[in-house]
Amino acid sequence: MIRNERIKALEVRLAGLNGEDLGVVPTREALEMARKLKVDLVCTSLMSSPPPCRLIGAAAAVQEAQQARKKEQPSKVKELRLTPRIEDHDYDTKRQQAERVLSSGDEVLFVVRIQGKEGAAAQTLLESLIRDLKPFGRAKTGIQLSGKQAAVQLEPVGS
């Protein structure tokens, strides 16, 4: 993201603080306007001529840059393994771990190892995890029972 004096174009297509179109303006005038309003002049794209620029507050510019960087990075998937005979304390620990991962914006894949006839218990366990983690994430996939494991993937609520 190019800001203020780093914009080298002679003129820019300017948008105001509220997104209103101010037309094509010489860069020097746009910079003076930004200084007068105590905001930044930010170039949104270099692919067109004249480049589109916006007047935005400094805090908003930093926040927008962070959001753009987050969108560029694909979300990671953290795998958490369980067994159907999990104790309450271990269940709480795994739930808290999943809350932290989901809150950071990444996805969680719960995998339950199954031996013998534990399929129903594994499905019940995954359903209770989905229910307990509802404020933090939602099921991206349904509960998948296959051979020796059951799995479900949760994605953060904000995505």
Side-chain angles (χ1 to χ4, degrees), residues 27-105:
T27 306
R28 195 173 306 120
E29 266 185 51
L31 285 169
E32 287 173 18
M33 200 180 304
R35 278 192 209 101
K36 197 183 305 178
L37 295 171
K38 296 183 180 173
V39 294
D40 286 330
L41 178 67
V42 178
C43 184
T44 55
S45 172
L46 297 173
M47 296 300 162
S48 61
S49 180
C53 293
R54 289 181 18 209
L55 294 173
I56 56 176
V62 170
Q63 186 177 17
E64 193 172 290
Q66 288 174 341
Q67 287 177 345
R69 225 174 292 128
K70 269 188 180 178
K71 286 181 184 176
E72 289 173 9
Q73 298 174 348
S75 64
K76 298 175 186 168
V77 179
K78 171 73 175 166
E79 183 177 317
L80 296 176
R81 294 183 181 187
L82 311 156
T83 62
R85 298 177 306 276
I86 190 168
E87 293 184 16
D88 292 340
H89 175 266
D90 296 331
Y91 176 87
D92 290 338
T93 302
K94 292 290 185 180
R95 183 185 46 76
Q96 289 171 357
Q97 194 175 4
E99 285 176 11
R100 282 194 300 273
V101 171
L102 290 167
S103 297
S104 72

Side-chain angles (χ1 to χ4, degrees), residues 118-130:
E118 295 176 333
Q123 187 164 355
T124 307
L125 174 65
L126 290 175
E127 287 170 354
S128 64
L129 279 167
I130 292 170

